[in-house]
């Protein structure tokens, strides 16, 4: 919602969250966070009637008529009028959430291509089994509630980015086993389809809080083995489970075992690198040249600098 | 092997470990650790022939004729003669390893009793299924490679100690749910039957290193669900998995999630308390009154004091 | 104060804290926290006169006429009228603070019973001396300013809970010395009677901040020895001092020495376990089934889950 | 020196280190570590005369006649005879140290190629100035005293590996500035040419201990600016200095500032990844399938597993 | 601004910071922090016109007419009227910032005196070169943005305090080398003249954030060497660089190397001690006897106690 | 014992420690550490008879005839002959331990002088009471078992060094209260007279291990109060106890409370600074110019550099 200060606007937006509160004059009001593809903004809907409270709930699309203002350094909307979008209007919530820079079909294709490189039969079958089961969510869900790839399709897009880096690395270091690295990469965050609630208004599920996405997908691999009649005690299955169990890199970050396979260490490194590049690109994109970003908590609270001027890049060979 | 310095002895002992080395004179010798129920002692077998090397391997019972000496402050055996025990002699290795202070049958009985208190049908069925499958190992294995309950039957004995404490605690705090706590207690270390190699010359298996006993038993619960046709997404199953996943108390100690159920927190506390009491009783038992134990690495390297004199205890009420 | 939203109420309550502030219109108002046995609630008393400011001070009991509302997700009181309670009304502040689930006389009795089990004469005399001196406060004070057992009588109740657990543990592990463990348990938090200001509107005293309850009670033991003509260099006194000095378990948490007696380690473990069970029971009691508590800072910021459904418990044997 | 146990051998080797000691019989002997391209082995030269002590010093090439033995699990050489290599024999020490898998000329070429992509004039001039000055050492030195790339030419080879990874990453993430990343990569470890003593018998110099390679190269950049009349306060110079100052990623690891440029974060990530892959490939190369490596201290003391069997890799596209 | 609550006042003050915000009634207002030599106070300027916004910017001196009030426990100003100070009024911002307790000329003199004790020619020349270059800022700048010596001239004053302590310590421990310690003391924080923006409204510069004052002054030493034709590889230069590089004492606090010279360790200790004494004196000066200060974040969040009564001091010998 | 390698020597030395061991030939030998004022050296006494074992025990003075050799880089003594020193020979063990660089009488005097500056009556009386009681040990004991001031009289000497620094600091910062700082300095380590066993062959006592010197002296202050009829609850006593309780600076290092008085913070800083200067002077004294010391574990394992050349110092003013 890139309007200037004091711009008036009439537009369709998603109600991302709605809080009912009581004002000092004793009347109720709604504290709302609006969302469209470009980002979020908050506003207060004063003197809310019981009917207003009933209809303006999170997840609805509304037509908003208001003015963009600044309160304590942050933008907010002064609301003039609000009504629900009708069925003849663009009222599908998915239209208003950020989404992956890559089309869904292209992502499906690229993942499918990689499956052919997973030449260990048990890994291949387990992955096909679980991807089929969770296909809908895998290509819909974000990769995280906040921070990195927190957009629709972010989970698949993050997986594909890692797979691309993985191919470069395997090419450069022949000691690395490609099939093991790719298999781990595809499965590593698949448990997020159960850990998170979905692409819109994402929260953690109870299962997600109590088990975590690492143990969820680890359990899924065991379940797949039983259903596919693969021996879960075979070394190949244990290697695959180790890849997903260890991908957070340290016990401290929730992996029950630290990487003990070279490919597990590399998977962890690529996972971290892709997540930080995405987070930093996004944060720097919102920062003026010559200035620092806000503190980024997922990067130890560091602030990053956007240089005033950077040199031209020589075109990549072969492009 | 509680002989005094310079005592000569002729006795049957287990070869706990045997290392072939080359002496400065170019001849081979065996560096041996002997074990009997009372503990361990090392010794060197000089000028070992190829035949000696072939027959004196770890896990064999031998008749040892030698003298107890002290080398750099530690006891060791000067070996006069060594031969394999014959079938008419006590040559079962299990005779020479420490074992649980409780008889196996009594342990089986006490665990069986507790099963009746686990009134949640899915927990009860999962536990019976897994206990049946791993029964042999569960009552044979130690609870750890070193440190606490590192003796035959130690795993079951540690489980029973926790269950007894758990009953006292449930009685004192009615807010605690007994069935959940008992179910978690029985399963929490069951994965050690795959993580460790067995009761004699215990090491970690490859599976144990790569997955850890926490994820092993977590996967077993999922497997049991599929085989017993219990829905693995039911809250009751998730609660049970959380109990075992979180029992190390902190991510740092290898739990992928920290306790988020009151019963999970209590299970962790009881697990730690039983382990330290066992370790400390053993260490203090080897220490003279008025002195400190060696540094105990599992207790942050602390040394513990055995008081010179402690007061008589009033007999417990009802005893 | 378990009223529904928008309920009107007229009731006697304690002024737990009162802050004088200036509103945007330049007039003064009082920001008040009210307390009764069921909990706390805040409210604003607008346009406060100098007389109001003089009479409505923390520690007074008042009659409150108002309405329960919600502001930014938290309940608060809209005050219609406020006046001091008179002497013919229930104006004793102690009526309005939470208190121990056990009656004072029963607590006095249970502690007295335990004294007979402390068979070491010097410990017995030191404890009787200090308990007599601090008796009033010991049975009145909370065990902490916030977090656990933060209610009148909480200190004695926490001590009794630990003593009960201690008896169970001594019964299960004969290597533990009961008298030492019980003596340490009774004294471990007795210094809180000087560290904290009292049962109502509890704060830390200057002495409490500068010395801490651990060194306070340690000094008290030394003082008792001199006054009772017990040799403070006797091993029995040193053991008792070690029990209280080490009960926080680690230097990091304020113990100048970590536990080096088995009984000191157990005292620390029981202290922690009782504190967390009390804190978790309270937090879960305020949480709906199927939801998580708020973050609990004394539990590393974790949130705990209240299961939707838990199985029935089989009655304890012998009950 | 891949001989079997008990093999006799006559060969030329480098004296890597020589220690003069006194034996129990009062005579002197030399404790020697021999090195050739395949690795290291130790041996004792008994009854050393003053002449022996004078001639057999570290850095000399000798002809060794002896037998390979095992002492306490480690291989060692029993020395029959030792003499200095003559000028007609292969007596250049460099023949006996491990070296880079890439030829020096190829490394020079690849670095030169990359210079054309550094399109910022000040960076380009600074790098050419410093590379020219330190060219000899840059292509000779190891990248570390032990651990990773600890071989002749290792510094340049490590730099080239990072540059290759950097090109892949820049290609995948267009938000990254190639020239900045490449410039940082070339300079990041260049200070090691002053921090370390050289390719043979590598130790830390006093300057290396007192300043560290990070501040050494940072000072070199400033010096280059003065000598090339580049304004050291220009933002471009500050960016370049930040790249080298922050490349250890955290203050804890010796960077005076943590990365605050996206390219600095990526340089750090690539540096770590290349170092671990090299270390792990080497360690796994010495390990039997189905076993774990020794503990690797540079990897938090973890041991890594070499799988028994790994699947075939599909040939990379375009190969 | 030591007025009592409700005092009216008309006075000249500096606008330390000014924030434009929108009130609930939709009008703009200015959230201002005023500063004079005695400290700071905040206030709100309601209904700000565009002209007000244009003229009342940070760094201006204004005449303030208002009343001192208390809001949520903190003092603030209710603004009646505000206008810019004219040229005939005291409108130099430097008049309103806190400044060093020592006159600038006295500080210049004391530093000059010390230079004669730096008997190593290269150190002496480097220091004179850099002090000359940065003289203006060195005697103007604060030693930090907040916390300690955050006043005009604070940097030079902090340096002088350390030099005085250094003289006492050198006198007491003859093993310490005075010239090295004094040289390090003078240079250690000189980089702050580039790291900070200046004495008024101090912020960090981009260069300060990206390099830090430690590497800035380290680079300055190298630059001075080149310009003065001193060999930067001479041990004396390396010692001097080590003194400034290591003065934060630990890698964690931003030193790329920890102290490895006795004088470097002492410089770090004196730096810390002077900083804490200044911070604590200031905080205790604002605290009533018998009370604790606020939490001091630079002292690990500790609060310090101001005793009710302290004994008279015997006059120092020789005073 | 500063002899060159291979020097023969006949001299009186103290047996610092004696270990009875069994050699490979089955005979007993003594592993001895000899000590004289200049340091320590080890040696082996082969073929020890029962009589030898009985007479050559730690704490005896002997006449040693032997030769200085080097074994694995460390000096050791080859023993030719050993006999006990007779009463007509210098056989007082105290002659052979390192001692304070200051005479005992001078130390007694300097401490006495300072007592006149402690103008708070209760502090003055408590200190005189405790110093009188522990006078003998206070001027005899080392300040630590190893590391710093580990010589006879080291405790008093360390105390005096801190007092001298304290006077300089009080002179420079008038906000510091001298009497409080001096009182804390005198008492801070006095508990070491109970924590350590004495000046020769120093070990920790059981009391020292179980209570620590901090709580020991804290208890002593309380005891002194009771015996001197000083009210232990007076603020002045609490301040004094806080000074000693907090002097380790952080909970982690064994202080039950961190410094909350400015003087307590300064006492901690001076304590650390004096300890490190003493330790570093000693370590550098044993190091050649241009080289580094061994790793010093009390300094985080750092090695310190002894510069090749340091500039002359200008004589201190007034000297």
């Amino acid at each position: 919602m890139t309007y200037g200060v004091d711009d008036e606007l009439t537009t369709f937006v998603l109600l991302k969250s709605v809080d009912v509160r009581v004002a000092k004059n004793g009347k109720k009001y709604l504290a709302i966070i609006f969302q469209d593809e470009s980002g979020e903004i908050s506003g207060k809907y004063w003197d809310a009637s019981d009917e207003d409270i009933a209809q303006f709930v999170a997840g609805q699309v509304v037509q908003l008529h208001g003015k963009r203002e600044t309160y304590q350094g942050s933008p907010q909307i002064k609301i003039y009028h609000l009504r629900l979008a009708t069925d003849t209007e663009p009222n599908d919530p998915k239209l208003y959430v950020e989404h992956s820079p890559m089309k869904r079909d292209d992502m499906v294709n690229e993942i499918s291509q990689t499956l052919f490189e997973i030449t260990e039969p048990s890994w291949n079958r387990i992955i096909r089994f679980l991807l089929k089961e969770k296909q809908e969510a895998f290509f819909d869900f974000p990769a995280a509630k906040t921070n990195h790839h927190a957009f629709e399709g972010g989970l698949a897009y993050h997986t594909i980015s890692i797979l691309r880096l993985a191919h470069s690395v395997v090419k450069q270091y022949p000691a690395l086993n490609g099939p093991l690295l790719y298999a781990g990469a595809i499965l590593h965050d698949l448990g997020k389809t159960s850990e998170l609630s979905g692409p819109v208004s994402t929260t953690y599920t109870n299962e997600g809080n109590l088990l975590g996405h690492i143990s969820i997908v680890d359990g899924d691999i065991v379940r797949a083995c039983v259903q596919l009649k693969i021996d879960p005690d075979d070394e190949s299955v244990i290697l695959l489970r180790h890849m997903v169990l260890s991908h957070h890199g340290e016990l401290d970050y929730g992996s029950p075992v630290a990487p003990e396979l070279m490919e597990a260490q590399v998977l962890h490194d690529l996972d971290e690198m892709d997540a930080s590049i995405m987070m930093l690109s996004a944060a720097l994109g919102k920062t003026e040249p010559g200035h620092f970003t806000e503190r980024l908590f997922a990067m130890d609270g560091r602030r990053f600098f956007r240089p005033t001027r950077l040199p031209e890049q020589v075109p990549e060979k072969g492009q």
Side-chain angles (χ1 to χ4, degrees), chain A:
Chain A
M1 301 216 274
T2 45
Y3 297 86
V5 171
D6 291 348
D7 282 0
E8 300 220 350
L9 50 91
T10 303
T11 183
F12 291 99
V13 290
L14 174 69
L15 299 177
K16 186 178 184 190
S17 73
V18 181
D19 242 5
V20 184
R21 298 179 186 165
V22 178
K24 288 197 176 163
N25 62 7
K27 298 194 178 160
K28 292 185 187 127
Y29 69 93
L30 305 177
I32 303 179
I33 298 175
F34 299 103
Q35 180 179 32
D36 70 9
E37 275 199 274
S38 67
E40 303 175 3
I41 196 165
S42 63
K44 296 208 171 87
Y45 183 88
W46 301 101
D47 297 352
S49 66
D50 287 352
E51 191 189 358
D52 292 336
I53 295 173
Q55 71 178 329
F56 296 138
V57 294
Q60 291 286 349
V61 176
V62 295
Q63 193 198 52
L64 162 69
H65 174 49
K67 189 170 77 165
R68 201 179 180 284
E69 292 179 335
T70 299
Y71 179 63
Q72 299 199 351
S74 295
Q76 64 168 26
I77 288 290
K78 176 163 189 167
I79 302 172
Y80 295 148
H81 187 71
L82 210 65
R83 67 163 175 81
L84 291 188
T86 65
D87 284 353
T88 62
E89 291 169 342
N91 69 352
D92 179 354
K94 289 205 179 168
L95 294 169
Y96 301 91
V97 296
E98 284 179 89
H99 53 248
S100 168
M102 204 173 159
K103 282 202 195 125
R104 185 188 170 111
D105 282 356
D106 294 344
M107 297 200 293
V108 172
N109 267 347
E110 190 156 339
I111 295 280
S112 299
Q113 278 308 106
T114 301
L115 291 181
F116 290 104
E117 300 179 62
I118 299 177
T119 51
E120 164 67 42
S122 62
W123 301 342
N124 197 295
R125 291 174 63 212
I126 291 167
I127 291 173
R128 288 185 190 277
F129 177 91
L130 291 175
L131 272 188
K132 189 174 165 198
E133 193 179 87
K134 298 165 194 287
Q135 163 136 4
E136 206 54 41
F138 179 61
F139 289 102
D140 257 23
F141 271 48
K145 198 184 139 191
T146 51
N147 292 337
H148 75 97
H149 300 84
F151 48 73
E152 197 191 335
L155 177 54
Y157 185 68
H158 170 56
T159 302
I160 285 171
S161 291
I162 291 178
L163 283 171
R164 289 178 181 175
L165 288 171
H167 278 87
S168 305
V169 174
V170 166
K171 203 166 157 185
Q172 183 165 339
Y173 302 95
L176 287 169
N177 186 266
L180 180 56
L181 182 55
Y182 309 148
I186 293 178
L187 291 185
H188 84 291
D189 269 354
L190 189 59
K192 289 195 172 170
T193 56
S194 304
E195 187 187 40
L196 300 175
S197 62
V200 182
S201 306
T202 308
T203 57
Y204 284 94
T205 61
N206 285 343
E207 184 182 357
N209 276 316
L210 290 167
L211 304 182
H213 68 273
I214 284 184
S215 297
I216 289 172
V217 74
D218 181 55
D220 284 337
I221 294 173
V222 173
R223 185 168 51 77
C225 285
V226 185
Q227 298 187 312
L228 296 168
K229 306 211 184 308
I230 293 170
D231 176 5
D233 291 336
D234 191 83
E235 190 185 286
S236 68
V237 177
I238 290 169
L239 296 180
L240 188 65
R241 291 180 68 184
H242 180 79
M243 291 297 288
V244 304
L245 288 174
S246 68
H247 85 267
H248 279 194
E250 295 180 33
L251 303 196
D252 242 11
Y253 297 138
S255 271
V257 284
E260 295 174 359
L261 293 171
M262 180 161 49
E263 289 78 9
Q265 180 63 40
V266 170
L267 174 58
H268 166 64
D269 290 343
L270 297 180
D271 186 18
E272 289 235 308
M273 197 166 68
D274 179 58
S276 21
I277 294 177
M278 285 303 287
M279 209 182 318
L280 293 179
S281 311
L284 289 167
K286 296 178 194 156
T287 304
E288 294 298 305
H291 289 80
F292 280 83
T293 65
E294 289 302 292
R295 297 199 172 284
L296 303 177
F297 289 101
M299 303 298 290
D300 319 313
R302 274 179 275 153
R303 301 163 67 219
F304 280 74
F305 184 68
R306 177 163 173 186
T308 310
R309 190 183 57 79
L310 280 172
E312 288 293 305
Q313 310 206 34
V314 171
E316 277 296 319
K317 303 160 210 164
Q319 284 189 313

